[in-house]
Amino acid sequence: SQYRKIFVGGLPHNLSDEEFKAYFIQFGQIEDSAILRDKRTGKPRGFGFVTYTKLVSLDVVMENKDKHVIQLNC
């Protein structure tokens, strides 16, 4: 699964887990997604990971890596 997992940085701190997953599911079926949070405060750390069920989905995401915008009003 490590080859189907991507790191996503530069996330807005007000982005919900649901919004995060909803954005990346458009590229294929997701096995797992998570925005990492500070263990003490519980606040988002500005990055996360997405694991796809198929490698081809990851390829599509990476082909457009410079064009992704998850939240316009952040």
Side-chain angles (χ1 to χ4, degrees):
S1 70
Q2 65 188 13
Y3 300 112
R4 293 178 283 117
K5 182 183 276 189
I6 57 168
F7 167 83
V8 182
L11 296 175
H13 289 282
N14 64 343
L15 183 69
S16 72
D17 292 323
E18 293 80 20
E19 290 172 307
F20 183 64
K21 184 174 183 176
Y23 179 79
F24 283 99
I25 203 162
Q26 68 182 313
F27 303 104
Q29 187 175 355
I30 293 175
E31 184 176 303
D32 187 38
S33 67
I35 296 174
L36 272 55
R37 300 182 182 282
D38 184 283
K39 290 181 182 179
R40 251 184 331 109
T41 66
K43 292 183 180 181
R45 295 176 61 194
F47 67 92
F49 294 92
V50 177
T51 304
Y52 285 98
T53 58
K54 295 185 179 180
L55 189 57
V56 68
S57 300
L58 180 82
D59 293 338
V60 174
V61 172
M62 294 309 292
E63 285 173 6
N64 297 293
K65 66 181 179 182
D66 296 327
K67 299 175 185 168
H68 294 292
V69 177
I70 296 178
Q71 251 185 8
L72 293 175
N73 299 322
C74 45

